[in-house]
């Protein structure tokens, strides 16, 4: 019986690659890439502009589902609590979704590289729909929380898969242009979610916020699946490292609980937080130990090294953390300092949440035409850091001046997202884009949670540690803290945001700037359906 020949480790089987793909892989060390029985990487047939539009529309719709369910539930919580007679555990309706969606982001990214985009997008949307039905039919709050956790498993997979599919149909140079479209989806979900949730709960029934997901998910699949056969195939079937995946998710859950509960539900030095922190450290260490020894680890650690990926992840994480941290805490500032109502405070968040899309759109379009694309993000994030520092020094300001400065801050902040996403995807091999994209989303979510916890800790220290800033005590917090004290406390929050944006600018400056594959100039197709 003859022994099988050893698998070749020649330069990534470049005889199987198209010229464009081979050029994209030319800078990657061949000693760390082994795609084995990967299918040919050249597209089976080119996609027409109409097919690209249909794919993008379906991806926008899928991403809208995941983004909407992070915000639409909040305004319906009082109604849900009254129906189930349980107010103390209501926060878990939101927390369960965030925990599960964060933990599975790197898992679905890796699975997309193993089983393909079609299988994983169907699986994630199916889990999302199943969780939505479970929530809508929930007879108790416990079942609703479990349904939200199941929904989060699907929602957490949608984001990395969507970004991975975009990388399959659009070249890196053109890819940044579409960041504005997808950023706009998050803005629409962030603004429209609370409005829809409150309207459904008040005028229809709170379960409608979950039932509405069914036609949207079916519509997204109906648009996407017929076109999936024409999307180039970049995944590689291999044995799944389930142990590594479980260790990664478990460590992420423990860390997220520390960041979510620390300083709010439990004191930072309480036995519960210390135990969770210890568990997170042990699980993360076990994951690293396993990944270094596994033949094909779930998340290859060498993928997180190099001169591009770690710096791009850190830059995007700092920017995302600053944006989410301010978004969560600014309503407290608006209500205490400017005496805005809850609805007015929500509208006043638009300069943070919505205006950043302008920076992302400008940067994405510029990346098509300029070679030194990272300079835009360096300048934008540095200018954003200066604006945050100026707010910290000059506050209190007239409301209109404050909102103008915050808008300028957000434009600069938005420049970092297309640069970091495209740089990461441009720096790794095609069959590893899903894994890298999932890891990027995972790290951003962790940084967002860390920033929220850090900003909360800053405020608690400034207020003497005797104030609860969330849940039912929010109104009490506003009533017991004067405007002057609130301004003094938020000076440190704005200063912390400035430091994070300065860190983002530094990381992009250190990051290697590699040439983006693709045509020199292109305009994104208009997102309307072809005739």
């Amino acid at each position: 019986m003859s022994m099988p020949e050893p698998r070749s480790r020649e330069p990534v089987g470049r005889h199987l690659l198209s010229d464009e793909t081979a050029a994209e892989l030319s800078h990657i060390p061949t000693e760390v890439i082994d795609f084995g029985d990967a299918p040919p990487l050249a597209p089976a047939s080119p996609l027409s502009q109409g097919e690209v539009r249909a794919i993008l529309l379906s991806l926008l719709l899928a991403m809208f589902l995941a983004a909407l369910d992070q915000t639409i539930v909040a305004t319906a919580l009082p109604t849900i609590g009254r129906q189930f007679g349980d107010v103390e555990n209501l926060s878990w309706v939101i927390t369960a979704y965030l925990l599960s969606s964060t933990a599975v982001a790197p898992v679905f990214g890796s699975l997309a590289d193993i089983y393909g985009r079609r299988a994983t997008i169907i699986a994630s949307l199916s889990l999302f729909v199943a969780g939505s039905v479970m929530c809508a039919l929930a007879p108790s709050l416990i079942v609703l929380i479990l349904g939200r956790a199941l929904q989060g498993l699907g929602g957490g997979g949608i984001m990395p898969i969507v970004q991975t599919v975009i990388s399959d149909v659009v070249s890196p140079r053109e890819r940044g242009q579409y960041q504005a479209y997808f950023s706009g989806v998050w803005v629409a979900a962030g603004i429209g979610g609370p409005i829809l949730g409150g309207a459904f709960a008040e005028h229809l029934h709170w379960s409608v916020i979950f039932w509405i997901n069914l036609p949207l998910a079916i519509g997204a699949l109906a648009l996407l699946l017929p076109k999936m056969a024409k999307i180039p195939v970049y995944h590689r079937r291999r044995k799944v490292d389930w142990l590594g995946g479980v260790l990664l998710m478990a460590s992420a859950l423990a860390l997220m609980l520390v960041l979510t509960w620390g300083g709010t539900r439990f004191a930072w030095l309480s036995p519960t937080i210390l135990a969770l922190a210890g568990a997170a450290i042990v699980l993360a260490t076990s994951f690293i130990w396993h990944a270094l020894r596994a033949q094909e680890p779930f998340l290859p650690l060498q993928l997180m090294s190099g001169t591009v990926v770690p710096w791009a992840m850190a830059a995007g994480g700092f920017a995302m953390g600053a944006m989410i941290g301010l978004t969560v805490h600014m309503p407290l500032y608006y209500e205490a300092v400017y005496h805005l109502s809850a609805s007015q405070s929500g509208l006043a968040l638009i300069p943070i949440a919505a205006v950043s899309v302008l920076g992302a759109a400008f940067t994405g379009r510029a990346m098509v035409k300029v070679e030194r694309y990272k300079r835009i993000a360096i300048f934008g994030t540095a200018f954003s850091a200066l604006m945050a520092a100026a707010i910290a020094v000059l506050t209190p300001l007239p409301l209109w001046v404050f909102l103008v400065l915050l808008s300028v801050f957000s434009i600069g902040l938005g420049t970092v997202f297309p640069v970091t996403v495209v740089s990461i995807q441009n720096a790794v091999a095609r069959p590893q884009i899903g894994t890298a994209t999932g890891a990027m989303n995972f790290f951003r979510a962790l940084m967002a949670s860390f920033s929220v916890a850090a900003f909360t800790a800053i405020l608690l220290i400034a207020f003497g540690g005797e104030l609860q800033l969330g849940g039912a005590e929010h109104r009490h917090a506003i009533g017991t803290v004067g405007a002057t004290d609130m301004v003094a406390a938020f000076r440190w929050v704005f200063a912390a945001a400035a430091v994070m944006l300065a860190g983002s600018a530094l990381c992009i400056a250190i990051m290697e700037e590699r040439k983006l594959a693709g045509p020199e100039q292109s305009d994104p197709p208009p997102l309307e359906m072809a005739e």
Side-chain angles (χ1 to χ4, degrees), residues 39-165:
L41 302 188
S45 59
L47 290 165
S48 68
Q49 191 178 79
E51 289 168 333
V52 171
R53 284 199 300 266
I55 291 171
L56 288 173
L57 280 171
S58 64
L59 295 176
L60 286 169
L61 188 55
M63 186 177 287
F64 181 73
L65 279 172
L68 186 67
D69 269 65
Q70 293 188 16
T71 60
I72 195 173
V73 178
T75 48
L77 286 181
T79 304
I80 295 173
R82 285 194 298 269
Q83 175 169 328
F84 292 128
D86 188 347
V87 177
E88 291 187 1
N89 295 312
L90 271 181
S91 61
W92 275 104
V93 176
I94 295 177
T95 303
Y97 184 93
L98 294 177
L99 289 176
S100 59
S101 61
T102 299
V104 301
V107 174
F108 266 102
S110 296
L111 292 178
D113 285 340
I114 298 173
Y115 293 110
R117 317 331 185 196
R118 180 188 179 95
T120 47
I121 193 69
I122 291 175
S124 61
L125 282 172
S126 297
L127 286 171
F128 188 84
V129 168
S132 299
V133 173
M134 185 175 177
C135 291
L137 299 176
S140 66
L141 187 62
I142 296 298
V143 176
L144 177 60
I145 292 171
L146 293 175
R148 284 286 286 172
L150 179 61
Q151 198 182 37
L153 294 178
I158 291 174
M159 183 69 173
I161 298 173
V162 163
Q163 291 176 318
T164 302
V165 174

Side-chain angles (χ1 to χ4, degrees), residues 94-341:
I94 295 177
T95 303
Y97 184 93
L98 294 177
L99 289 176
S100 59
S101 61
T102 299
V104 301
V107 174
F108 266 102
S110 296
L111 292 178
D113 285 340
I114 298 173
Y115 293 110
R117 317 331 185 196
R118 180 188 179 95
T120 47
I121 193 69
I122 291 175
S124 61
L125 282 172
S126 297
L127 286 171
F128 188 84
V129 168
S132 299
V133 173
M134 185 175 177
C135 291
L137 299 176
S140 66
L141 187 62
I142 296 298
V143 176
L144 177 60
I145 292 171
L146 293 175
R148 284 286 286 172
L150 179 61
Q151 198 182 37
L153 294 178
I158 291 174
M159 183 69 173
I161 298 173
V162 163
Q163 291 176 318
T164 302
V165 174
I166 295 172
S167 73
D168 292 341
V169 300
V170 181
S171 70
R173 179 169 292 276
E174 301 170 292
R175 209 171 294 156
Q177 299 178 97
Y178 299 91
Q179 181 69 37
Y181 295 139
F182 290 93
S183 297
V185 166
W186 284 93
V187 172
I191 297 174
I195 297 174
L196 288 175
F200 289 156
E202 182 178 354
H203 300 293
L204 297 174
H205 189 267
W206 62 264
S207 63
V208 177
I209 65 180
F210 300 111
W211 287 122
I212 196 177
N213 292 329
L214 274 65
L216 293 177
I218 293 172
L221 284 175
L223 280 173
L224 182 61
L225 292 185
K227 305 296 186 296
M228 290 293 285
K230 289 192 173 184
I231 295 178
V233 175
Y234 298 117
H235 65 279
R236 178 177 72 88
R237 288 293 183 97
R238 58 180 173 84
K239 183 179 179 181
V240 181
D241 177 24
W242 291 114
L243 177 59
V246 170
L247 288 173
L248 179 60
M249 285 193 296
S251 60
L253 283 173
L255 179 57
M256 286 289 290
L257 285 173
V258 169
L259 296 175
T260 302
W261 284 348
T264 54
R265 184 181 293 265
F266 299 100
W268 282 107
L269 297 180
S270 66
T272 301
I273 296 300
L274 292 177
L276 285 171
I281 293 172
V282 171
L283 289 168
T285 303
S286 300
F287 166 74
I288 294 172
W289 183 87
H290 173 78
L292 290 173
R293 287 158 178 77
Q295 184 176 1
E296 291 189 286
F298 200 88
L299 180 63
L301 296 184
Q302 67 267 28
L303 194 66
M304 303 297 105
S305 62
T307 57
V308 176
V309 174
W311 300 109
M313 284 191 177
F318 280 132
M320 182 65 73
M323 184 172 70
I324 299 300
L326 288 178
T327 301
V328 169
H329 292 93
M330 283 309 297
L332 184 67
Y333 185 80
Y334 286 136
E335 294 178 43
V337 177
Y338 295 107
H339 308 293
L340 301 184
S341 65

